[in-house]
Amino acid sequence: MEHAPDAYRRLTDRDLIALCLQGEEQAWIALLERYGRLIYSLAWRAGLPPEDVADVFQSVCVVILENLHKLKDETRFRSWVATITIRQCARVQRRQRPEWISLEQARQELLQQPDAAPLPLEEIERLEREQLVRQALEEIGEPCRRLLILLFYEKEPYAEIAQELGLAASSIGPMRARCLRRFVNALKRLGF
């Protein structure tokens, strides 16, 4: 899949949705880049095999494409995508079950698969927050994105970060402060 231009990645969900409804292909690509990980993570969390995860992703994309014009509140897009994904996962799980199953078999199956239950609201909210963090990191762009990843995810020492980014080690602290401000502002704009 081709990647959306940076200009589209920086748009709000509302703007991307409006452009998608106008048939703008790059907006659709940006929307899928933004929410693809959420869809995949929910499908993996449901315990589906890889081929079913891919099917869920495709079916969620189709449902979004066919129903985007019905979305009343663009600020709820993330939750809408999560709900569609969970429903598609449940549909796939139901399809995999044998048509006739005894009560005892059903009971045993439930006991063996505690994660088969729908995701609790807290888990969905956690996944949505992770999605917002990824989106904010994309929004702030380079070199801030790479700096924050190196500092907080990979926990690299300043000397190694400076070498990788081609900067003086003494400039990492001030740059970190500027990048964190940009990151926090991006999170606020996204409604974190």
Side-chain angles (χ1 to χ4, degrees):
M1 179 167 120
E2 68 179 284
H3 294 286
D6 285 341
Y8 284 88
R9 288 183 185 150
R10 291 189 194 107
L11 294 175
T12 65
D13 284 353
R14 174 174 282 144
D15 293 337
L16 280 176
I17 290 167
L19 289 170
C20 285
L21 291 172
Q22 294 171 15
E24 182 65 39
E25 182 180 345
Q26 294 299 315
W28 175 248
I29 292 169
L31 208 57
L32 288 182
E33 283 179 0
R34 186 173 291 173
Y35 289 101
R37 288 185 183 126
L38 176 64
I39 296 167
Y40 273 107
S41 63
L42 288 170
W44 281 112
R45 172 66 173 73
L48 299 175
E51 61 275 3
D52 287 338
V53 170
D55 287 346
V56 165
F57 181 82
Q58 289 178 350
S59 62
V60 168
C61 290
V62 169
V63 171
I64 292 170
L65 184 63
E66 291 176 346
N67 295 285
L68 190 58
H69 66 282
K70 296 178 185 176
L71 184 64
K72 302 285 188 239
D73 182 2
E74 294 89 354
T75 63
R76 303 284 303 147
F77 184 75
R78 211 174 13 264
S79 297
W80 187 59
V81 170
T83 301
I84 291 168
T85 305
I86 291 166
R87 287 180 181 161
Q88 291 300 318
C89 289
R91 181 188 55 78
V92 168
Q93 289 170 331
R94 279 193 308 271
R95 184 183 71 209
Q96 293 171 345
R97 293 179 59 131
E99 201 168 310
W100 296 99
I101 187 169
S102 73
L103 190 55
E104 181 57 28
Q105 286 173 317
R107 189 178 75 74
Q108 288 301 321
E109 186 178 305
L110 285 174
L111 290 174
Q112 292 173 359
Q113 298 180 3
D115 288 334
L119 291 174
L121 181 58
E122 299 83 29
E123 180 72 8
I124 294 171
E125 289 172 349
R126 183 187 65 76
L127 289 168
E128 288 178 348
R129 285 191 305 272
E130 287 176 7
Q131 176 64 30
L132 286 175
V133 168
R134 283 191 295 270
Q135 190 174 339
L137 283 170
E138 282 295 320
E139 192 174 298
I140 65 172
E142 298 296 343
C144 283
R145 184 188 70 78
R146 185 70 186 136
L147 174 71
L148 295 180
I149 287 172
L150 289 170
L151 282 170
F152 297 107
Y153 289 108
E154 297 177 17
K155 300 183 179 178
E156 295 289 332
Y158 275 24
E160 289 181 27
I161 294 171
Q163 184 178 13
E164 182 172 327
L165 297 178
L167 302 168
S170 61
S171 66
I172 299 295
M175 185 177 175
R176 180 190 70 173
R178 286 189 305 274
C179 291
L180 281 172
R181 273 194 302 277
R182 288 179 63 192
F183 180 64
V184 168
N185 288 336
L187 285 172
K188 287 178 184 176
R189 275 192 309 277
L190 294 169
F192 189 83

